[in-house]
Amino acid sequence: MRTVTILGATGSVGTSTLDLVEREPDRFRIEALTAYSDVDGLAAAAKRTNAKVAVIGDAARHDALKAALSGTGIEVAAGAQAVIDAAARGADWTMAAIVGLAGLEPTMAAIAAGKSVALANKESLVSAGSIMIRATEAAGTRLLPVDSEHNAVFQCYEPEPGRVSRIILTASGGPFRTWASEQMRSVTPAQAVKHPNWSMGAKISVDSATMMNKGLELIEAHHLFPIGAEKLEVLVHPQSVVHSMVEYVDGSVLAQLGSPDMRVPIAHALAWPQRMQTPCQRLDLAAVGKLEFEAPDFDRFPALALAKEALAAGGARPAVLNAANETAVAAFLAGEVGFLDIAAIVAEVLAQYEPDAPETLSEVVAIDAEARHKAVSVMRRMAA
């Protein structure tokens, strides 16, 4: 039986993981579940799975979680350090699904525990990629990609040197793929979170709409599959059936296909190196009818161009990019800035802040904090 910890258990990826785990209770046992503020969702999941420990990140909600789990025998804890401690308990398999850089320290704690870590938190790898990869190698941990694109590459990738000529990450193009830039000026948060193919959280949905998500995935792929940034490409594929492709030096191209359901890549990581049944809809290519592909438009979606530039520059640029983007997306979702302002804010922060490459986790956190501060300053100037 494989013990499982889920960091971010009440989010989109976390609930999908729970769905799969609960379908095979003889195969998986829950060690720890964490959430930031959803006491009801966390308590319900902990009771259903008889988790050993449930942790709420918001310390102010400790009493509420304790009351909800009273009499169950489930250990209860609260606060940021408690989330890190839960990640370090040493489950056989940990799902790292906390959104944003908030997931960095818990993910690093899981890596240090030396077991398998399924990575759904791309922001951590974007901001601290080299540090995370070194820690993974030092601990002997297996890092399993969960994003559909990286999981697809993982399934097709042969790591022997000199075999791979290109990795092609596919992108749906988001809800505004065919919109003119002028049309996107009036985009609302409600429109931006309505992804045409995938069911995801608000932040990643907005990133998909700006195509920053694909840019972050390019940076993530650079760390997961070290073939060189110049060999990583993006191809828009509106149907979201081909999840990514690997081209080899002999001209062969291997692709992973499937219905757009996150439980497919999660199940692959959860059961790896074996396979497991899922309730996901089976792919019917005859019903799909056709598969379309087109080059990305960097003019209408400048966020993707900014990410490619940050990847090429390396150093602290990806961390600055990520922090500025997280800040701008949060402001957009709050109705404080416009949709097109997101990329403009990120560009301005990148133009004015160029710190040295971080060597430690604390340096990553400091760079992140300063970039967020500068993003807020940019937004204030824009509003003035």
Side-chain angles (χ1 to χ4, degrees):
M1 179 172 285
R2 180 170 291 181
T3 56
V4 172
T5 287
I6 304 176
L7 308 174
T10 60
S12 176
V13 170
T15 54
S16 292
T17 306
L18 280 166
D19 176 71
L20 293 168
V21 167
E22 290 178 68
R23 291 173 186 272
E24 298 203 29
D26 294 332
R27 191 171 182 179
F28 305 107
R29 178 179 60 78
I30 294 294
E31 177 70 22
L33 300 176
T34 81
Y36 179 70
S37 60
D38 185 358
V39 168
D40 292 341
L42 178 60
K47 288 177 183 176
R48 290 197 315 271
T49 60
N50 194 29
K52 283 193 173 182
V53 60
V55 180
I56 196 78
D58 183 353
R61 298 181 182 246
H62 178 262
D63 289 345
L65 181 61
K66 190 173 182 179
L69 292 176
S70 177
T72 63
I74 298 171
E75 182 184 341
V76 174
Q81 185 58 50
V83 174
I84 295 171
D85 293 342
R89 288 174 70 98
D92 296 326
W93 187 94
T94 299
M95 169 58 79
I98 297 174
V99 176
L101 201 73
L104 176 57
E105 290 186 86
T107 302
M108 290 293 286
I111 288 171
K115 300 295 178 71
S116 293
V117 176
L119 189 66
N121 173 265
K122 64 172 58 67
E123 294 90 351
S124 292
L125 195 57
V126 166
S127 297
S130 298
I131 296 170
M132 286 184 67
I133 295 301
R134 287 199 300 268
T136 299
E137 293 171 348
T141 306
R142 165 63 76 169
L143 206 59
L144 299 168
V146 171
D147 276 347
S148 62
E149 296 82 2
H150 301 98
N151 182 266
V153 173
F154 183 70
Q155 294 192 48
C156 299
Y157 186 73
E158 297 176 13
E160 289 81 359
R163 289 193 178 188
V164 176
S165 59
R166 280 193 304 166
I167 288 175
I168 305 164
L169 302 181
T170 57
S172 69
F176 313 124
R177 179 177 62 88
T178 62
W179 289 33
S181 296
E182 195 58 37
Q183 286 179 284
M184 286 189 271
R185 291 188 184 280
S186 59
V187 164
T188 66
Q191 291 173 311
V193 300
K194 289 183 179 179
H195 195 280
N197 301 330
W198 297 92
S199 175
M200 306 181 293
K203 194 268 180 183
I204 190 173
S205 294
V206 174
D207 281 347
S208 179
T210 63
M211 289 199 72
M212 178 63 84
N213 188 54
K214 204 54 50 179
L216 297 177
E217 288 176 0
L218 280 174
I219 299 170
E220 190 179 6
H222 172 65
H223 294 292
L224 292 170
F225 311 105
I227 64 169
E230 72 283 357
K231 296 180 180 179
L232 303 175
E233 298 181 10
V234 170
L235 186 64
V236 175
H237 169 48
Q239 290 79 24
S240 296
V241 168
V242 178
H243 298 302
S244 279
M245 294 174 272
V246 178
E247 181 185 86
Y248 288 87
V249 293
D250 61 4
S252 299
V253 178
L254 302 186
Q256 188 267 339
L257 286 71
S259 297
D261 187 324
M262 275 305 297
R263 290 175 297 181
V264 174
I266 293 170
H268 180 264
L270 182 59
W272 188 89
Q274 300 177 7
R275 296 271 181 173
M276 64 183 291
Q277 290 285 339
T278 75
C280 305
Q281 181 179 349
R282 274 22 186 184
L283 181 62
D284 184 344
L285 287 174
V288 174
K290 62 179 179 179
L291 301 177
E292 300 171 297
F293 302 93
E294 60 192 54
D297 188 328
F298 294 100
D299 292 328
R300 287 189 299 122
F301 296 96
L304 180 56
L306 291 170
K308 282 179 66 69
E309 291 165 7
L311 171 58
R317 304 300 279 170
V320 173
L321 172 97
N322 179 70
N325 180 65
E326 280 194 34
T327 306
V329 169
F332 168 70
L333 288 170
E336 297 169 0
V337 301
F339 181 75
L340 294 184
D341 292 333
I342 296 172
I345 292 164
V346 174
E348 182 62 26
V349 174
L350 285 167
Q352 63 180 254
Y353 184 41
E354 295 189 46
D356 293 334
E359 295 294 333
T360 65
L361 209 58
S362 61
E363 289 177 357
V364 173
V365 173
I367 289 169
D368 179 85
E370 181 61 21
R372 290 172 191 271
H373 174 73
K374 290 187 179 298
V376 171
S377 297
V378 170
M379 287 188 287
R380 286 174 178 164
R381 287 201 304 272
M382 290 173 61

